[in-house]
Amino acid sequence: MPYYNETKLAKELISFPSITPTDAGTMNYLSKKLKSLGFKCKILEFKTKDLKPVKNLYAKLGKSRPNFCYAGHTDVVPPGNLNEWTVNPFKPAIKKNHLIGRGANDMKASIACFISAVSKFKKKFNGSISLLITGDEEGIAINGTKKVVEYLKKKKEKIDFCLVGEPTNPNKLGQMMKIGRRGSITGYLKVYGTQGHVAYPLQAKNPAPIITKILNQIQNIKLDNGTKNFQPSNLEIVKININNTADNVIPAEATATFNVRFNNKHSSNSLKKKFNNILKKICKKNKCTFGVSYIVSGEAFITTPNKTTKMIQNTIKKITKIKPKLSTSGGTSDARFIRKISPCVEFGLVGKTMHKVDETVLLSDLKKLTTIYYEILENYFK
Ligand SMILES: [Zn+2]
């Protein structure tokens, strides 16, 4: 069986311009590499009306349990302003011990490290190793991991533990593992008044002061003080709009958008109820109507640290000399889908430059992460 070097794999993977949801050949490339290591590979293409099809990959080595799964994504965010990059984002280059290119830490290089680790892991073991790779994590994620999880459920495929390779470290490799994530809900609010002449307010109903009242009240809800594992829930108003082209007209409607990142003291439903009560009350009192809709990106969740979590934490500490913090901070990740079928933790590279120009990773971190992934396999299948 071949041995794969992590830096070479990372460079090859980065050179596919796989901006969400374009596959650009990444799934075929990964299948080829994994087949050469004995994996059975299944490329899963999902499509929905109005959306471009998305390619995903489920690859598995061995048949028996326990099944240890690595999850990640090959899609990347657009490079942004090409003139600001010092290299072509899809022609990765090495400068001063850093690999630079789009996906260097989020998260093609992490996938490269895991495949390199598997190629070194040549011993006989009881169980199986699998990879769940999606091409739509950075986008709306409708035909990505969510659909793969539904497919695995239907096929009665079991995963016993999942390691998600997202960049979890803020500044230094070893600082942070994620054992859960906050939930995210966005509310789209509309308040309807009655249009009229500003000089005749009694014959109109201005929605502007009403929407500001509502926003003021939801902004001031004390959601919670945080928990042992989570920071306090937080609401941000992100848009307030009144589409009015005249200065002498009371507008007919006002709209606003707000987002809440919430911990496991709340669910999207409990939050919706809270907000809807405030909307109803204020609008009733002010004799106006409203409309509201919500998009839920994910509920808050946590994988209560078990012996595998502790083993991974100790392995990271052994290699990096840093004891990683078990955190639930940051945005959402595909662990929100996978946790429905398996306990999950996340550990990957340093994310300081993710989504930025000149996305970069230390070559020595690639080596260390490969060793960490290798030792995690060793310990898991001991
Ligand atoms: Zn990512």
Side-chain angles (χ1 to χ4, degrees), residues 12 66 70 73 81 88 95 99 129 141 158 173 212 247 280 287 296 300 308 315 324 335 339 358 369 371:
E12 285 172 4
Y70 169 91
H73 62 89
N81 188 352
N88 180 323
K95 281 185 186 174
L99 173 64
I129 300 171
K158 297 275 188 262
L173 192 77
T212 47
D247 294 340
K280 268 183 217 149
K287 296 190 183 71
V296 179
T308 307
T315 307
R339 59 113 183 177
D358 275 1
L369 187 64
T371 310

Side-chain angles (χ1 to χ4, degrees), residues 80-362:
N81 188 352
L82 285 173
N83 295 327
E84 286 182 37
W85 283 77
T86 62
V87 305
N88 180 323
F90 299 110
K91 286 200 177 105
I94 291 170
K95 281 185 186 174
K96 290 184 186 154
N97 302 316
H98 285 76
L99 173 64
I100 310 171
R102 177 54 88 223
N105 60 61
D106 187 13
M107 55 167 284
K108 286 174 167 173
S110 164
I111 298 174
C113 293
F114 189 78
I115 294 176
S116 173
V118 175
S119 77
K120 277 190 213 166
F121 188 68
K122 305 248 196 241
K123 68 166 193 186
K124 276 212 159 32
F125 64 98
N126 283 326
S128 42
I129 300 171
S130 55
L131 284 94
L132 191 173
I133 308 291
T134 181
D136 183 9
E137 196 275 342
E138 302 287 6
I140 41 175
I142 287 174
N143 290 312
T145 301
K146 193 177 171 201
K147 289 269 171 80
V148 181
V149 164
E150 283 164 16
Y151 167 88
L152 295 177
K153 254 173 135 174
K154 221 165 65 200
K155 292 270 167 196
K156 298 203 163 49
E157 173 73 8
K158 297 275 188 262
I159 292 173
D160 294 282
F161 197 87
C162 184
L163 173 63
V164 182
E166 287 284 356
T168 47
N169 302 284
N171 293 299
K172 248 186 136 176
L173 192 77
Q175 273 180 324
M176 192 178 279
M177 287 164 67
K178 303 237 161 130
I179 53 165
R181 294 273 185 163
R182 289 181 295 171
S184 171
I185 181 173
T186 305
Y188 302 89
L189 168 65
K190 261 188 183 172
V191 175
Y192 304 100
T194 309
Q195 188 180 317
H197 197 300
V198 278
Y200 302 90
L202 290 178
Q203 288 161 34
K205 180 100 221 161
N206 194 344
I210 301 164
I211 203 163
T212 47
K213 244 182 227 159
I214 292 171
L215 293 176
N216 188 38
Q217 211 169 109
I218 62 169
Q219 178 76 75
N220 284 316
I221 305 174
K222 179 99 186 129
L223 288 168
D224 55 77
N225 293 314
T227 69
K228 187 173 144 253
N229 290 305
F230 283 97
Q231 62 200 95
S233 303
N234 180 54
L235 179 144
E236 292 296 330
I237 294 159
V238 291
K239 283 176 202 159
I240 305 175
N241 292 319
I242 294 175
N243 211 348
N244 192 353
T245 50
D247 294 340
N248 58 352
V249 173
I250 289 172
E253 64 176 66
T255 64
T257 307
F258 55 94
N259 176 272
V260 191
R261 297 298 163 117
F262 57 95
N263 60 37
N264 59 357
K265 286 200 155 178
H266 309 271
S267 67
S268 59
N269 277 332
S270 72
L271 289 170
K272 280 182 202 172
K273 240 188 223 157
K274 254 192 206 12
F275 299 138
N276 290 349
N277 280 339
I278 292 175
L279 299 178
K280 268 183 217 149
K281 225 167 90 193
I282 296 182
C283 286
K284 195 176 166 204
K285 202 171 154 199
N286 290 280
K287 296 190 183 71
C288 68
T289 53
F290 72 93
V292 68
S293 62
Y294 299 96
I295 289 182
V296 179
S297 310
E299 301 289 341
F301 69 91
I302 187 158
T303 291
T304 311
N306 61 14
K307 73 175 202 299
T308 307
T309 316
K310 298 221 165 83
M311 175 275 282
I312 292 175
Q313 192 181 30
N314 288 334
T315 307
I316 295 165
K317 192 184 163 199
K318 187 185 147 202
I319 311 293
T320 63
K321 315 278 182 262
I322 304 169
K323 187 178 177 189
K325 200 179 155 202
L326 303 180
S327 167
T328 57
S329 62
T332 59
S333 82
D334 274 0
R336 71 188 190 270
F337 304 123
I338 302 165
R339 59 113 183 177
K340 288 177 182 157
I341 54 167
S342 165
C344 290
V345 302
E346 302 178 53
F347 184 74
L349 291 157
V350 175
K352 207 162 56 179
T353 57
M354 60 182 168
H355 297 201
K356 294 189 178 177
V357 300
D358 275 1
E359 182 178 338
T360 179
V361 67
L362 261 173

Side-chain angles (χ1 to χ4, degrees), residues 45-54 56 142-143 147:
E45 189 176 78
F46 297 115
K47 41 190 155 193
T48 327
K49 225 175 74 187
D50 305 332
L51 292 174
K52 280 193 185 158
V54 171
N56 304 276
I142 287 174
N143 290 312
K147 289 269 171 80

